Amino acid sequence: MSRAELAGRLTEIVTVQRPEHSQDGIGGATGNMTQVATIRAEIIPEGVGPASEGDARAAMPRYRLTARAHPALVPGDILIWQSRRYRTVWSEITLRPAPVQRALIEEIR
């Protein structure tokens, strides 16, 4: 896959957020999210697969994300795409022929 081929496929804009672990004024944990990056990506539906039978959590829609390699995208991150929230299940980077990152994301409801 050449760089030109990848660039034409990255049509979606995705915001990457990460939980911020800090304490509030009385020592409790806050649930704030910090925006880490905004990336362009290709997102393709993957379906729910056989693991979804009888398990509502596994039945959440899953998608395959492809983007230029970016250090901000790691498993556990929250992605905002089309006003919906997704969790990064796994992520991998391949360096040849062009640095590309692939990830599996699932919708959070």
Side-chain angles (χ1 to χ4, degrees), residues 1-10 38-42 65-73 91-95 98-102:
M1 171 185 324
S2 70
R3 289 178 191 249
E5 291 173 1
L6 180 63
R9 294 179 12 213
L10 306 180
T38 300
I39 60 173
R40 296 190 67 86
E42 174 188 43
L65 179 141
T66 303
R68 286 199 170 99
H70 199 289
L73 185 60
S91 177
E92 68 178 2
I93 296 176
T94 55
L95 299 176
V100 174
Q101 185 160 15
R102 291 181 177 84

Side-chain angles (χ1 to χ4, degrees), residues 50-85:
S52 68
E53 295 175 11
D55 188 2
R57 181 170 172 89
M60 298 309 256
R62 290 184 164 201
Y63 299 87
R64 180 100 31 202
L65 179 141
T66 303
R68 286 199 170 99
H70 199 289
L73 185 60
V74 297
D77 283 348
I78 303 300
L79 306 177
I80 308 296
W81 172 55
Q82 296 183 346
S83 301
R84 292 192 171 182
R85 294 167 41 100

